[in-house]
Every structure is written in C-alpha cells, then in structure tokens.
Amino acid sequence: MSDALSTAAAHLDGLPEAEVEAALTRCCGASRWVAAMLARRPFGDGPRLLDAAEQAWAALERADILEAFDHHPRIGANLDALRDKFRATANWSASEQSTVAAADEATLVRLRDGNLAYEARFGYIFIVCATGKSAAQMLTLLEQRLTHDPAQELAIAAAEQAKITRLRLEKLAP
C-alpha cells in the first residue's frame, strides 16, 4: 500500500463533504461511485480508501462505467487537438499521457484514426491507463483492443478505468 494513499485518506477525511465530492469526481466521474465513496467516509487509512474505491467500482453498472469514461477527454477530433492534448499541462490526464508528446507524426495520425475507429465500434472512448506507456505502446494496445468483442472490451476498459482511479486517488495526497 502506498504512503500516498494513506496520506490521501487522511486528507479526504479532514475536508468538508463538498470538497471531498469534488476531489473524488476528479478521480472518477461516475456519480454513483462518488456517492458510494462519500457514504464510506471516514476512510481512516490507505487500505480502507482503496478497499472502498474497489467495492464502489465493482458495484457499478454499465451506464455508470460509461459515465466515468465520459469524464476523460476525447482523442481524435483532429491532429491539432491531439498534439495539444499531449503537450505538458497541469492537468492529470496530460501527465498520465505525457509520453505521447514525443510521438512522431505517423503515430499521432494512427492514434487519432484508431481512437475514432474505437469510438465508432464500441460507442465510448478508448480508455487505457497510460502512465508509463509510450505512444507506440498505447497504439499497439488500441489496435489489439479493436479486435475484441464488445463485452470483453468493456470489461478491459473498466479495469483500465479502475487503475486510473487508483492513481488519481494517490494524487489527492497534499
């Protein structure tokens, strides 16, 4: 268990509910997940925070999972937007996906096209825990996942969202 999760738990326990709600929404945009987390306060420590997050996530239905996905920025509207998205910024998504900033133009084009194809096929954006992955690695994952059946892919994307949520919970530590 990371020290960051324990620090985050203590931080969340000390905040007013409205601030906790806003912080949790930054971690995962599914409103039922946020409500379940608020109901589990106080967290006390990192293991209890993580356990609460995992239990709340496991209880979600398809619509809730898709709501969480909708809180991620869309990739693929155009190449300029894709280039801008992956420049270093202060937001978490940018830092999580920072390795794409070094991508060559051909890789960016394939990422854009792959993201558009993914959304057309599955009806939601491509979700991947991008931390530590290069643009080429993410492109490979995207292209592989385009071959999945919809139920299999939703389960994979949901597992990726859960990883992202955990990383974001750790970032709540002051």
Side-chain angles (χ1 to χ4, degrees):
M1 184 63 51
S2 79
D3 289 338
L5 277 172
S6 291
T7 303
H11 178 65
L12 291 171
D13 287 347
L15 292 175
E17 185 166 324
E19 290 181 40
V20 175
E21 182 177 1
L24 292 172
T25 301
R26 287 183 65 209
C27 295
C28 176
S31 55
R32 282 189 54 215
W33 181 86
V34 173
M37 291 294 288
L38 289 171
R40 287 172 167 85
R41 273 180 80 205
F43 302 112
D45 59 29
R48 286 184 43 208
L49 173 61
L50 186 56
D51 185 55
E54 290 171 353
Q55 286 183 24
W57 183 252
L60 297 183
E61 298 175 4
R62 177 186 170 84
D64 304 311
I65 292 167
L66 295 178
E67 180 186 11
F69 295 173
D70 282 343
H71 282 260
H72 290 273
R74 283 196 161 36
I75 300 171
N78 61 57
L79 282 177
D80 288 334
L82 187 59
R83 284 184 203 101
D84 289 343
K85 175 180 175 44
F86 294 119
R87 285 190 175 84
T89 69
N91 86 28
W92 287 348
S93 292
S95 67
E96 290 160 358
Q97 301 166 355
S98 63
T99 59
V100 179
D104 60 54
E105 189 72 9
T107 300
L108 288 176
V109 168
R110 287 177 62 199
L111 275 169
R112 179 206 56 200
D113 293 348
N115 275 286
L116 293 171
Y118 183 98
E119 190 165 1
R121 174 161 165 66
F122 296 112
Y124 53 86
I125 66 169
F126 176 63
I127 301 291
V128 64
C129 183
T131 302
K133 292 177 181 69
S134 69
Q137 289 170 318
M138 286 191 285
L139 177 60
T140 298
L141 289 170
L142 171 60
E143 290 173 342
Q144 289 169 349
R145 287 174 51 189
L146 273 167
T147 67
H148 295 154
D149 68 68
Q152 177 188 27
E153 184 52 32
L154 182 62
I156 291 168
E160 291 296 303
Q161 173 66 51
K163 290 178 197 174
I164 293 165
T165 299
R166 180 189 172 135
L167 288 170
R168 290 180 174 183
L169 284 169
E170 290 179 355
K171 291 178 182 180
L172 293 178

